[in-house]
Amino acid sequence: MSPDATKPSHWCSVAYWEHRTRVGRLYAVYDQAVSIFYDLPQGSGFCLGQLNLEQRSESVRRTRSKIGFGILLSKEPDGVWAYNRGEHPIFVNSPTLDAPGGRALVVRKVPPGYSIKVFDFQRGGLLQHGPEPDAADGPYDPNSVRISFAKGWGPCYSRQFITSCPCWLEILLNNHR
């Protein structure tokens, strides 16, 4: 057997974006939980504060300063949960948060200190076999979650698309691939 055959598989990868630009590499997650933060003393996980980009807009700099302790992303038996550890809200969109057969984009606001199941494994399994919804917000991936720091998007906000948000994460789940 090759050494790679015994290596555990990652359950998700995390991409960090500033507007339409991905910053840094994909971060593979092997542990059941990962902290994603800007500044967490003695923290381990994905530190967004260490990702450099030549030119940043003022809105990105202001939003990055609000990430703070960020989120704890946790894989549980029923799905994936996000706990907002920061001092500002996060905004979440996931195929399993949308109403079945719904056509409207659902973005949930999660206040500081609260958590939300960002992906339900049972509902996600049903999405694998259903029709692909209209995706006005870019390509559709039934195994991805989008999380914006401090800024919302969608029909209720001036930002219609997540790519208009200064700082956001794309969680690419590996469980159904």
Side-chain angles (χ1 to χ4, degrees), residues 121-163:
F121 291 141
Q122 185 176 11
R123 289 195 65 200
L126 297 173
L127 290 172
Q128 301 303 311
H129 308 293
E132 186 172 308
D134 296 335
D137 192 1
Y140 174 75
D141 182 349
N143 297 310
S144 71
V145 175
R146 297 170 177 183
I147 300 174
S148 174
F149 293 101
K151 305 291 181 184
W153 81 97
C156 300
Y157 295 90
S158 61
R159 292 169 222 79
Q160 293 297 298
F161 308 109
I162 191 152
T163 53

Side-chain angles (χ1 to χ4, degrees), residues 7-13 27-34 75 174:
K7 186 176 177 183
S9 179
H10 64 285
W11 64 270
C12 80
S13 297
Y27 183 87
V29 179
Y30 296 91
D31 294 333
Q32 289 298 109
V34 61
K75 181 181 178 191
N174 198 29

Side-chain angles (χ1 to χ4, degrees), residues 9-89:
S9 179
H10 64 285
W11 64 270
C12 80
S13 297
V14 180
Y16 170 66
W17 295 80
E18 293 178 359
H19 294 288
R20 295 179 179 270
T21 304
R22 192 172 97 199
V23 181
R25 296 179 170 197
L26 283 177
Y27 183 87
V29 179
Y30 296 91
D31 294 333
Q32 289 298 109
V34 61
S35 290
I36 304 168
F37 55 93
Y38 183 80
D39 182 29
L40 184 63
Q42 295 138 8
S44 63
F46 188 17
C47 179
L48 303 177
Q50 293 181 347
L51 299 177
N52 294 317
L53 188 64
E54 290 280 323
Q55 305 234 337
R56 285 202 161 96
S57 69
E58 185 56 34
S59 69
V60 168
R61 280 195 280 280
R62 279 193 313 270
T63 305
R64 279 173 63 90
S65 72
K66 295 177 180 179
I67 295 172
F69 292 171
I71 65 170
L72 178 69
L73 196 64
S74 175
K75 181 181 178 191
E76 303 295 335
D78 63 339
V80 178
W81 288 78
Y83 173 63
N84 184 359
R85 298 171 54 172
E87 295 180 3
H88 298 275

Side-chain angles (χ1 to χ4, degrees), residues 83-100:
Y83 173 63
N84 184 359
R85 298 171 54 172
E87 295 180 3
H88 298 275
I90 59 172
F91 297 82
V92 179
N93 169 255
S94 161
T96 66
L97 290 176
D98 294 341

